[in-house]
Amino acid sequence: MIDLKLLRENPDLVRRSQRTRGEDPALVDQLLEADSRRRESIAAADAARSEQKSFSKSMGQQMRTASDEEKAALREQGKQKAEAVKELEKAQTQAEDDVHELQMKLSNIVEEGAPAGGEDDFVVLEHVGEPTAFDFEPKDHLELGESLGLIDMKRGTKVSGARFYFLTGDGALLQLGMLQLAAHKAVEHGFQMMIPPVLVRPEVMAGTGFLGAHSDEIYHLEEDDMYLVGTSEVALAGYHSDEIIDLSDGPVRYAGWSSCFRREAGSYGKDTRGIIRVHQFDKVEMFVYCRPEEAEAQHQELLAMEKDMLSAVGVPYRVIDVAGGDLGASAARKYDTEAWVPTQDTYRELTSTSNCTTFQARRLKTRYRDADGKPQIAATLNGTLATTRWLVAILENNQQADGSVVVPEALRPFVGKEVLTPR
C-alpha cells in the first residue's frame, strides 16, 4: 500500500500514476476523504477520552460530599460519558477500516519515466544477439521435446489435465541444470539460497499485492484457506513480515527455488501448445530487501543478473520497459527480458524484474532502522533468474538440421552431454 503522508502531500502524483496505469484516479479522492474522516474520528475519540478521564477524577472528589441524589446524577453522567467514548471509538474503528479497504485497492505509484499505456505500449531498451536464422524449417519446442524424449505432454494431460506435462530424461536434467546454474550465480552475487513453502496464508498473499485484479489466476485451497504461490516472491516477501530487519550492512538478498502454480485464467486459446503457458513450473526467483533510496540501483543489478543468465544459455533476447497499464499492482517499474522464439517469429517473456518500492513492505509491516535508530519501511524488489519456460528458447534456438539440439556450454556439466539427439 502507498504512504498516506505522501498521498496527502502530493495527491496529483498519485492521480497521475493511476492514469498511467489506466486505473481510476477518483480512488485517490475517495481515500483522501476517508483519511480525513479517520483523522477527525481519532481526534473526537481522543477528546472524549480526555474529557471522561477529567470527569472521573473530579467525580471522585465530588462523591465524598455529595448527597445520594447528587451521587446518582454523577454516576449517570459518568455512564453517559463512557457510552459516548465507546460510540466514538466504534466510529474510529470503522473509519480506519474504510481507509484500509481503500488503501488496499490503490496500486503502487508508477516510477517516473515508465511508459504509459497497456500491454502493447512497452518501450524496447536494447536487443542482445540477432534473431536465429536457419537454412532449414525449424521445429517448435514441443516437436523437438517429444522427438528428443524431453517433454511428455500427453501423459501430463492424462495424469493432471490440460497444461500439465512431464519433463523426462535429458529434459529434466536440462531444467535442473538451468536452475542449478541460476542458483550458483545467485550465491556468487551474495544471495542466500532458499527453498520456501509453496502454500501461504491469505494475509501474505494479500500483502504482496496478488489478491487484486488477477486473483483468479491463483489456486486457493478453500478447506485450508491457503494459497499456492505463483512465484516464491510471495513467501520471501512474507519471510520478514512484522519484523525490523538489519540493513546496516546493505541490502538483504534471497534467491528462492520453488515450484510455482498458476491457473492461467483468461488465457484459454493462447499458447496452448507446449510449455509456454502451463499450470505448474519451477523457478529461481531473486528477492531483495533494501532502503528505499537503494531500490533503483538494486533494480538495475537484478536486471544485469538476468541478462548474464540469458547470455550464459546463448539465446537472443531484448529488454523492454513495461508500460504502466501492464504492471502488477505492487510494481512501480518493471523490466522484462524476452527471448527470440524462431517458430513464432517473435520475442516471448522469459524474465521480469520489478521494483515494488515500499508497497509490499508497508502491507507486511517489514521495517529497518535508519541512521537515527528510527524504524522505517523497507523497499522490496524481485526478479526471475531462471524458469521452465526458458527451455522453449533454449531448444528452438539451438536446434540443428538433423533434429538434434546443441546443449549450451554452461549447461553441459549438469546435463552430461554436448548434443541431444533424436531417439
Side-chain angles (χ1 to χ4, degrees), residues 53 67 69 79 97 151-152 179 251 254 257 259 273 275 277 298 322 331 339 349:
K53 185 177 179 180
S67 64
E69 186 177 342
K79 181 181 177 182
D97 289 345
I151 302 171
D152 192 335
L179 297 175
Y254 300 115
W257 180 332
S259 292
R273 181 172 168 80
I275 59 172
R277 286 185 184 269
Q298 286 296 307
V322 177
E349 177 196 330

Side-chain angles (χ1 to χ4, degrees), residues 200-258:
V200 299
R201 299 177 185 274
E203 58 268 27
V204 175
M205 187 64 79
T208 52
F210 285 99
L211 289 185
H214 300 290
S215 59
D216 59 348
E217 295 183 9
I218 303 169
Y219 284 101
H220 182 221
L221 282 65
E222 292 186 13
E223 186 173 342
D224 304 287
D225 196 19
M226 299 276 280
Y227 289 90
L228 279 167
V229 299
T231 168
S232 57
E233 169 195 344
V234 179
L236 294 176
Y239 188 64
H240 287 300
S241 61
D242 296 306
E243 293 182 19
I244 297 178
I245 59 176
D246 185 3
L247 296 180
S248 58
D249 292 329
V252 172
R253 311 206 292 181
Y254 300 115
W257 180 332
S258 74

Side-chain angles (χ1 to χ4, degrees), residues 58-75:
S58 64
M59 178 181 168
Q61 296 172 344
Q62 294 179 59
M63 291 287 280
R64 297 192 190 100
T65 58
S67 64
D68 289 344
E69 186 177 342
E70 289 170 334
K71 288 179 180 179
L74 286 168
R75 291 191 188 98

Side-chain angles (χ1 to χ4, degrees), residues 8-172:
R8 296 183 208 112
E9 293 176 351
N10 199 346
D12 285 339
L13 173 68
V14 189
R15 292 188 189 100
R16 282 199 304 273
S17 174
Q18 287 290 95
R19 285 190 286 267
T20 297
R21 288 179 172 275
E23 297 178 7
D24 188 4
L27 186 59
V28 175
D29 298 295
Q30 294 171 25
L31 182 52
L32 283 169
E33 291 171 8
D35 181 51
S36 178
R37 291 194 299 272
R38 178 187 67 89
R39 287 185 291 158
E40 289 172 0
S41 69
I42 291 172
D46 285 348
R49 279 190 292 269
S50 178
E51 184 179 339
Q52 183 191 27
K53 185 177 179 180
S54 296
F55 177 79
S56 296
K57 187 176 180 181
S58 64
M59 178 181 168
Q61 296 172 344
Q62 294 179 59
M63 291 287 280
R64 297 192 190 100
T65 58
S67 64
D68 289 344
E69 186 177 342
E70 289 170 334
K71 288 179 180 179
L74 286 168
R75 291 191 188 98
E76 180 60 27
Q77 195 173 352
K79 181 181 177 182
Q80 291 174 359
K81 289 187 181 297
E83 289 175 352
V85 168
K86 189 181 294 186
E87 286 300 311
L88 287 168
E89 287 178 338
K90 184 178 177 181
Q92 178 184 336
T93 298
Q94 182 60 56
E96 288 171 342
D97 289 345
D98 291 344
V99 166
H100 184 263
E101 182 179 348
L102 286 167
Q103 206 173 358
M104 292 291 279
K105 290 179 180 178
L106 197 64
S107 298
N108 200 359
I109 298 172
V110 177
E111 188 178 299
E112 193 70 30
E119 183 178 359
D120 299 323
D121 297 307
F122 57 84
V123 173
V124 177
L125 300 178
E126 66 174 315
H127 285 88
V128 178
E130 294 294 326
T132 309
F134 300 99
D135 56 5
F136 58 90
E137 186 66 28
K139 299 176 181 178
D140 74 5
H141 74 280
L142 182 57
E143 187 177 355
L144 288 166
E146 290 176 337
S147 66
L148 296 170
L150 312 176
I151 302 171
D152 192 335
M153 296 294 299
K154 291 180 181 178
R155 290 187 177 91
T157 301
K158 178 179 71 174
V159 170
S160 301
R163 302 197 189 220
F164 285 95
Y165 57 95
F166 283 85
L167 291 180
T168 54
D170 290 333

